[in-house]
Amino acid sequence: METDRLIEGVVKIRGYMRCGKTASMVALAVNEIKIGHFTPDKVISNVSIPSYGIEQQRNSEIIDFLARMKEEELRGWLILIDEADQLFSHRGYTGKQQSQVLVNIWQTMKLDNLIIYTMHEGLGVDLIFREATIMSLLPEIIGDRIIIYTIDGRFGGDPYLLEIAPASEVFKLYDTKQTVY
């Protein structure tokens, strides 16, 4: 199926601390809003982006949203999860709720939703979350440039370079020291 979307489905941004994971997620989210794929009122995020009216939600609210996504057919949502390895650790709880929440993630594209999540290098997310991920991105900040490389996924593993916005502009959009809770 052809699409005009640069990213879609479930997208992972991974890397070491302070490499630009959250900045890349925010830049991609703002780009999706600017080109009209999503509106700020249809964004749920555990990172606030005040200039777009996006308020930080607790991790428990993100989990609740994902749990309801399939049953309530919540369509056209942009879901941003910073530090997803905290919410859905590969060693985290394996209760029925987590499993059901993660099974719902398989329905992301059918519901015209987009999940962008970040995770630290070396850590992982739950197996179901990993398997539902369509594309993995690796960010790098060089001077005032945020450069994002695809490292697998829809582009067949071929290196792909994406430069969304100057880092100095992206850092103004959110609090780089805001903790995820």
Side-chain angles (χ1 to χ4, degrees):
M1 178 170 84
E2 288 296 314
T3 179
D4 67 339
R5 290 242 161 105
L6 186 60
I7 57 174
E8 60 186 347
V10 180
V11 177
K12 166 179 67 180
I13 302 172
R14 70 175 177 92
Y16 295 101
M17 289 175 39
R18 310 296 302 159
C19 72
K21 296 179 301 293
T22 304
S24 298
M25 180 177 72
V26 169
L28 289 168
V30 167
N31 186 63
E32 289 291 308
I33 291 167
K34 283 182 176 178
I35 60 179
H37 289 151
F38 299 95
T39 58
D41 64 320
K42 297 280 283 228
V43 176
I44 185 165
S45 173
N46 62 359
V47 173
S48 63
I49 309 173
S51 58
Y52 284 82
I54 299 166
E55 295 181 11
Q56 181 185 35
Q57 304 296 313
R58 291 184 168 277
N59 288 338
S60 59
E61 293 169 303
I62 302 288
I63 290 170
D64 178 61
F65 179 88
L66 293 172
R68 296 180 297 113
M69 184 173 71
K70 178 180 162 190
E71 185 176 319
E72 296 179 19
E73 292 196 18
L74 300 171
R75 295 182 177 276
W77 282 84
L78 175 55
I79 303 142
L80 306 175
I81 307 173
D82 195 26
E83 300 184 14
D85 41 353
Q86 286 186 27
L87 272 79
F88 302 110
S89 171
H90 69 289
R91 298 186 62 188
Y93 66 95
T94 56
K96 185 177 180 181
Q97 182 192 21
Q98 178 173 339
S99 296
Q100 187 56 50
V101 165
L102 292 171
V103 167
N104 288 350
I105 289 174
W106 285 105
Q107 303 301 312
T108 300
M109 288 181 69
K110 288 182 180 179
L111 293 169
D112 297 318
N113 293 333
L114 170 61
I115 297 174
I116 306 173
Y117 71 93
T118 69
M119 60 176 262
H120 296 97
E121 192 69 51
L123 297 176
V125 292
D126 184 277
L127 177 64
I128 298 170
F129 210 168
R130 273 196 316 266
E131 293 298 319
T133 300
I134 294 173
M135 180 184 293
S136 296
L137 307 175
L138 185 65
E140 183 177 22
I141 297 176
I142 301 174
D144 194 36
R145 297 170 49 208
I146 298 175
I147 299 171
I148 305 169
Y149 304 92
T150 62
I151 51 178
D152 61 17
R154 185 175 70 188
F155 295 101
D158 294 333
Y160 179 80
L161 175 68
L162 171 65
E163 191 172 340
I164 293 283
S168 58
E169 294 301 312
V170 175
F171 291 142
K172 293 177 189 175
L173 297 173
Y174 74 104
D175 180 359
T176 62
K177 300 293 185 183
Q178 182 180 48
T179 58
V180 174
Y181 62 97

